[in-house]
Amino acid sequence: MAETVARGAGKGLADGNLEALAGQIGVLHTLDHLTNPVMLADPDMIVRFVNEAGYRMFEAIEEDIRRDLPHFTARDVVGKSIDFFHKNPSYQRRIMTDIADPHDGKFTIGGRRLAFRVIPHRNAAGKLVGMLVEWQDRTEFAENEAQIVMLVHELKEMSVAHQAGRIHEYIDPAKFNAVFADVVERVNHMVKDHIATKRKIITCVEAYAEGRFDYELERFSGDRAFINEAMDGIATSFRRTIREIQSMSVDIVEGRLDRDIRPEDFPGEFRLIVEAFERAYAGLNETFHQISDQVQQVTATVDQIASSAHSLADNAQVQSTSVDEISASAEETDTQVRANASSANMASHRASSASTATKEGQDKVIGMVQAMEAIRSSSDDIAKIIKVIDEIAFQTNLLALNAAVEAARAGQYGRGFAVVAQEVRNLAGRSARAARESSDLIEDASQRVASGVSIADETRRAFDRISHDIAEVETLVGSIASSGDEQSRAVAQITTAIGEVANAATATSSQAEQLAAGAAELQTSSEAMRAAINHFRLRRPAKPNGPLNLEGLPTDLMDKISTMLAGRGIALPEAEKRRA
């Protein structure tokens, strides 16, 4: 304290007023050890004491204060009025005169922002005996406060810019002092690091989008490790889904359609992909089951067609052989009929000369009886042949009908054969009609021959009446000759009809062979289809397959199929009938 008083005495403090003031407000050495700048002033506003912290503060800003107070000296403030620090002393003095409670104030001098607190001290009578003034240099604080305000403003501007998508905008460090510039640099660096991290994540996602799931994302440290965990999970999910898709695709290619697919094992929209494959598997299974059933039906139908074609070919061969035999018999019949006609003409000539040569006539009559017996025998043979022809025509008609039914079963492939079958039926009808006509003619001829035989017998028994009945004999022989001519023409027609039947039989045989060849090709194709379908392993159908869908078939083919099935006692479903 002695040193402090001595320093104060050298500064104008060693008078009675100071000692009184010091005695009232406390020990000066205590103030001198405070870290805050403090000074004491008397009631006249004269500075009487400044502690060491106060001297150091004023010394630090001495040069700045001299810009406004050129003669200011930090160590020379004691003994000077506090008006020295104020631009408007009267204002400050009026406040100090009436001060009753501590007063805070601030002012700027030399560019420095100074704040102070005045604590008045009064005696027991209430008289002001002195003031304690605590100083504070708030210049740096004010600058920091301004820097903070500007920093907050710049942070808001950068935040708005980034929210608007302008992530390239940062805070300019040049606007701040060294301390805050460092803070700005650190903030910018932090934001750039976050953006760089996002870019790395986006690059990884782009690689995943291109299918490069082996892309190595930088391993982040600390709390950012969750990024790697999330991206690794994404890659694992994609790899798992891709492996599953690849496996399902390979199974489809290799025909393993009985695979058990579990979409519930996959999350989110990955499940939609697997469910789509499940639907594809189910659709392929249903389709191949239907195709397999239809191939079996087609195979059965083709087998029936092949069997029918072979039977038709055999029947056509038999028919061709029978027609050849009939043709030979018809040629023989034609020769015999021609011979009968010639004999009838000769008999007519002989009857004409019978009147002039009775004996010769008698001999001729005997010959005529013999000829008549031969004609009757030939007529019987012709009747048998005609009966055979009629039976052949009936069998041909039946074969043609069967061929038409089988052509209807063959669908559009049997239309040409149906036309041939119809022509065969027409030829068979014509043959039957010709046979009936020939039969009628032969029967008539037989009756006439019987009458001639009777007349010849009577002529032989009563030859004496020959001369009287010669005219009647001539008439009868003429009738015989006419009948012979008619027989000759009828046999010629039969021969022509048999030729047509032979041609039809040949065509039928050729068509049957083509049908058999086509059926064999269909069998080969059916077996190939069955082998291709058997390549696939299918699931067991959940429900029986529906009936064969005949929708889209031509109406005429539907009619033929309906007729064919009706002939076998099978009825089409009502829906198919309506379509037909």
Side-chain angles (χ1 to χ4, degrees):
M1 180 179 179
E3 293 177 358
T4 302
V5 174
R7 188 174 67 248
K11 299 174 184 177
L13 296 177
D15 53 12
N17 291 335
L18 176 60
E19 290 298 331
L21 180 62
Q24 292 179 3
I25 64 175
V27 184
L28 292 179
H29 80 278
T30 302
L31 297 176
D32 203 33
H33 284 82
L34 294 177
T35 57
N36 290 333
V38 177
M39 67 171 51
L40 296 177
D42 59 18
D44 294 328
M45 309 298 178
I46 302 300
V47 177
R48 296 303 180 183
F49 172 80
V50 178
N51 69 351
E52 186 60 30
Y55 282 124
R56 286 196 299 270
M57 185 197 76
F58 286 118
E59 285 178 343
I61 63 175
E62 188 176 59
E63 293 298 327
D64 294 326
I65 293 176
R66 284 178 178 175
R67 287 187 293 176
D68 289 338
L69 302 174
H71 302 294
F72 175 80
T73 301
R75 295 279 176 175
D76 195 24
V77 297
V78 176
K80 292 184 171 56
S81 174
I82 61 174
D83 295 337
F84 182 75
F85 294 100
H86 300 287
K87 296 180 180 180
N88 188 0
S90 60
Y91 172 76
Q92 293 296 331
R93 187 171 287 277
R94 184 173 63 254
I95 294 175
M96 296 305 170
T97 301
D98 298 331
I99 189 170
D101 298 316
H103 170 73
D104 294 324
K106 58 183 178 179
F107 62 92
T108 302
I109 184 170
R112 308 296 295 188
R113 298 172 66 89
L114 301 179
F116 62 90
R117 166 168 279 201
V118 178
I119 303 174
H121 187 77
R122 297 178 183 274
N123 58 17
K127 182 180 178 181
L128 181 67
V129 296
M131 291 173 287
L132 175 67
V133 182
E134 182 182 6
W135 291 91
Q136 196 175 35
D137 184 0
R138 299 183 62 84
T139 304
E140 185 176 350
F141 178 81
E143 290 179 356
N144 289 341
E145 186 176 29
Q147 292 280 295
I148 291 173
V149 171
M150 185 167 61
L151 176 61
V152 171
H153 173 75
E154 292 293 327
L155 285 172
K156 288 181 178 179
E157 291 294 324
M158 184 176 69
S159 176
V160 170
H162 280 234
Q163 288 180 355
R166 301 191 302 276
I167 61 175
H168 63 281
E169 294 191 11
Y170 301 97
I171 302 175
D172 185 7
K175 296 180 180 181
F176 300 88
N177 58 30
V179 175
F180 283 90
D182 182 63
V183 174
V184 168
E185 289 288 357
R186 290 178 182 274
V187 170
N188 288 342
H189 182 70
M190 178 183 67
V191 174
K192 290 179 181 178
D193 280 350
H194 281 298
I195 293 176
T197 300
K198 292 178 181 178
R199 291 187 185 277
K200 292 175 183 177
I201 296 173
I202 292 173
T203 301
C204 180
V205 172
E206 289 175 346
Y208 289 172
E210 294 173 357
R212 295 185 286 113
F213 297 108
D214 56 348
Y215 181 86
E216 290 292 339
L217 178 64
E218 175 185 339
R219 309 310 295 183
F220 298 109
S221 60
D223 294 338
R224 296 188 301 170
F226 79 93
I227 297 175
N228 296 104
E229 294 174 359
M231 298 306 294
D232 291 343
I234 292 173
T236 300
S237 296
F238 273 112
R239 288 194 185 100
R240 181 185 174 214
T241 304
I242 289 174
R243 284 195 298 270
E244 185 69 12
I245 293 173
Q246 185 179 17
S247 177
M248 290 187 292
S249 300
V250 170
D251 287 343
I252 291 176
V253 173
E254 295 180 356
R256 295 192 296 269
L257 299 180
D258 57 346
R259 177 191 179 103
D260 184 23
I261 301 175
R262 297 177 56 83
E264 62 274 12
D265 293 343
F266 295 85
E269 295 193 5
F270 289 124
R271 179 172 181 172
L272 299 179
I273 298 175
V274 180
E275 285 179 346
F277 267 91
E278 168 61 21
R279 290 193 296 272
Y281 268 73
L284 288 174
N285 271 273
E286 182 178 358
T287 299
F288 278 110
H289 276 300
Q290 292 178 355
I291 291 175
S292 179
D293 293 342
Q294 293 185 10
V295 166
Q296 291 179 359
Q297 294 180 12
V298 170
T299 301
T301 303
V302 169
D303 291 340
Q304 293 178 0
I305 293 174
S307 176
S308 300
H310 287 301
S311 298
L312 181 62
D314 294 339
N315 293 335
Q317 185 65 35
V318 172
Q319 182 183 16
S320 178
T321 302
S322 299
V323 168
D324 291 338
E325 293 176 357
I326 292 171
S327 178
S329 298
E331 289 179 357
E332 293 178 0
T333 301
D334 183 63
T335 301
Q336 292 175 357
V337 168
R338 291 180 183 276
N340 289 340
S342 176
S343 297
N345 291 327
M346 292 174 64
S348 178
H349 291 298
R350 289 176 180 177
S352 298
S353 61
S355 59
T356 57
T358 302
K359 191 175 186 318
E360 182 180 358
Q362 184 178 8
D363 295 336
K364 293 296 183 182
V365 167
I366 293 172
M368 183 184 67
V369 170
Q370 295 174 352
M372 289 299 173
E373 291 292 337
I375 290 172
R376 185 175 61 184
S377 177
S378 297
S379 296
D380 293 337
D381 292 338
I382 291 173
K384 293 178 182 179
I385 292 171
I386 293 303
K387 184 177 181 181
V388 172
I389 293 173
D390 188 55
E391 291 177 353
I392 290 173
F394 178 75
Q395 292 295 329
T396 303
N397 189 27
L398 289 178
L399 288 175
L401 181 59
N402 290 333
V405 172
E406 295 300 328
R409 291 178 182 175
Q412 61 179 355
Y413 300 103
R415 290 180 179 175
F417 187 71
V419 175
V420 173
Q422 185 62 36
E423 290 299 324
V424 170
R425 290 181 64 188
N426 294 336
L427 290 175
R430 292 174 60 186
S431 297
R433 288 193 300 271
R436 286 194 297 270
E437 292 175 359
S438 298
S439 177
D440 293 337
L441 293 174
I442 292 172
E443 184 178 1
D444 184 65
S446 296
Q447 293 175 357
R448 293 178 181 275
V449 168
S451 178
V453 170
S454 177
I455 293 173
D457 289 339
E458 291 176 358
T459 302
R460 185 176 56 185
R461 288 192 301 267
F463 189 69
D464 55 348
R465 293 181 297 172
I466 291 176
S467 58
H468 301 285
D469 298 333
I470 192 63
E472 184 178 357
V473 170
E474 288 179 347
T475 302
L476 292 174
V477 172
S479 298
I480 292 171
S482 176
S483 297
D485 292 335
E486 291 179 359
Q487 287 181 351
S488 178
R489 289 193 296 271
V491 170
Q493 292 178 356
I494 291 172
T495 302
T496 303
I498 289 173
E500 293 178 355
V501 170
N503 293 333
T506 302
T508 300
S509 178
S510 176
Q511 292 292 333
E513 292 176 356
Q514 293 179 3
L515 181 60
E521 292 179 359
L522 284 175
Q523 284 180 321
T524 302
S525 300
S526 299
E527 291 299 328
M529 291 174 63
R530 183 181 299 172
I533 292 173
N534 289 337
H535 170 71
F536 293 91
R537 298 204 303 267
L538 304 177
R539 304 173 182 171
R540 293 185 179 275
K543 58 182 180 179
N545 292 327
L548 183 63
N549 186 5
L550 301 178
E551 184 175 0
L553 290 179
T555 303
D556 56 346
L557 183 57
M558 285 292 297
D559 293 338
K560 293 179 180 179
I561 292 175
S562 178
T563 303
M564 178 185 68
L565 295 178
R568 295 192 174 191
I570 302 174
L572 280 175
E574 292 299 324
E576 302 297 343
K577 289 182 178 179
R578 287 194 295 271
R579 275 198 289 269

